[in-house]
Amino acid sequence: MGHFAGSDDMTKAEIIERVYESLGGHSKKESADIVEMVFETIKETLERGEKIKISGFGNFVVRQKKERTGRNPQTGDEIRIAPRKVLTFKPSQVLKSAINDED
Amino acid sequence: MKPKGYEPRDRTRCEMTKGELIEVIAQRDGFNLKKAEIVVNTICDSMREALQKGERVEIRGFGSFEVREYNAYRGRNPKTGEEVYVRAKKAPFYKPGKELRERINGSRKN
């Protein structure tokens, strides 16, 4: 079930454009590389199991889920759900208020 | 409670703040701190502004953010049993991208 970016969505390309404008004196390519670097650094940090805390935006936390037994909802068969890590995002109060104040 | 011997810059602390992210970006890309700060802040501000307008944010390989709306409901304060009215609200929801989910789980191939 792929979700495709619609015309109203903000994508990486749009963020790169904004960074290009706010940096000034750097090429589009350099702006794209630095944005890529930011997301790559965040991904590497989360991959190591570390938390990312962005004040004014939110925290990304990797949580360890234990093995459990589930059921296939179609057949009712018992299935083993392997232990795995999940990434959760906890929005900051600033982000939550920003979303609720503007309509 | 912080454990004994807690050091703010200790690698074993297992977290990275925005300020530390800015430092890492400056080191990795040879940008000065000021520029790295502009980049990180612009990324956060762009995403926040989009969500504020009710738009989705889609960062391929990292994940997507969207705003979900929750209806108002009557609840109870679990401590006092008092009835409280919870107003309708919107909240951001993040779904990690496939690449990131796999990397967090040790890039298992399914």
Side-chain angles (χ1 to χ4, degrees):
Chain A
M1 279 197 301
H3 202 125
F4 297 97
S7 58
D8 284 343
D9 293 352
M10 171 160 281
T11 60
K12 210 188 290 178
E14 210 173 321
I15 293 175
I16 290 166
E17 187 62 37
R18 296 260 207 126
V19 168
Y20 169 73
E21 284 162 16
S22 57
L23 266 180
H26 287 272
S27 68
K28 285 266 171 80
K29 169 83 169 69
E30 284 171 319
S31 306
D33 288 347
I34 189 93
V35 169
E36 207 57 64
M37 172 76 77
V38 172
F39 285 110
E40 183 54 32
T41 303
I42 294 174
K43 286 191 270 189
E44 283 173 13
T45 305
L46 293 169
E47 204 177 342
R48 285 197 303 265
E50 292 181 37
K51 195 194 240 188
I52 293 276
K53 294 168 78 169
I54 308 291
S55 58
F57 193 75
N59 298 346
F60 294 90
V61 187
V62 177
R63 295 185 190 283
Q64 177 71 53
K65 293 280 185 181
K66 289 190 191 125
E67 180 187 319
R68 63 188 175 90
T69 322
R71 266 180 207 286
N72 178 332
Q74 250 137 57
T75 63
D77 291 346
E78 264 199 3
I79 43 171
R80 176 184 163 267
I81 298 168
R84 70 200 195 287
K85 288 177 186 150
V86 293
L87 174 59
T88 59
F89 172 66
K90 188 172 184 295
S92 77
Q93 198 52 54
V94 176
L95 180 61
K96 285 197 271 188
S97 323
I99 286 172
N100 282 284
D101 286 347
E102 206 183 284
D103 252 322
Chain B
M1 279 285 277
K2 284 165 186 168
K4 264 192 175 173
Y6 177 84
E7 289 282 339
R9 298 271 155 181
D10 190 346
R11 295 291 309 146
T12 62
R13 190 169 51 122
C14 291
E15 67 176 46
M16 187 186 272
T17 61
K18 185 163 98 171
E20 287 163 340
L21 175 64
I22 291 167
E23 284 174 24
V24 173
I25 299 304
Q27 284 167 11
R28 290 184 91 169
D29 221 49
F31 268 51
N32 62 40
L33 273 179
K34 187 71 209 144
K35 280 185 182 172
E37 189 181 4
I38 291 172
V39 172
V40 172
N41 282 338
T42 304
I43 294 174
C44 297
D45 293 349
S46 309
M47 298 201 293
R48 196 189 57 241
E49 284 164 25
L51 292 170
Q52 210 167 349
K53 285 188 277 183
E55 294 175 5
R56 276 180 89 246
V57 176
E58 166 114 42
I59 311 292
R60 195 166 299 174
F62 182 72
S64 60
F65 296 86
E66 63 182 37
V67 176
R68 290 195 176 171
E69 291 185 36
Y70 297 89
N71 291 330
Y73 61 91
R74 277 184 200 286
R76 272 184 198 282
N77 178 330
K79 278 208 183 99
T80 63
E82 205 183 331
E83 195 171 79
V84 287
Y85 178 70
V86 182
R87 286 195 304 168
K89 64 182 172 202
K90 295 181 224 166
F93 180 82
Y94 167 68
K95 185 173 185 283
K98 188 168 180 282
E99 181 210 328
L100 184 52
R101 282 203 307 271
E102 284 174 356
R103 282 175 64 173
I104 281 170
N105 277 290
S107 51
R108 269 185 321 190
K109 305 228 164 35
N110 292 319

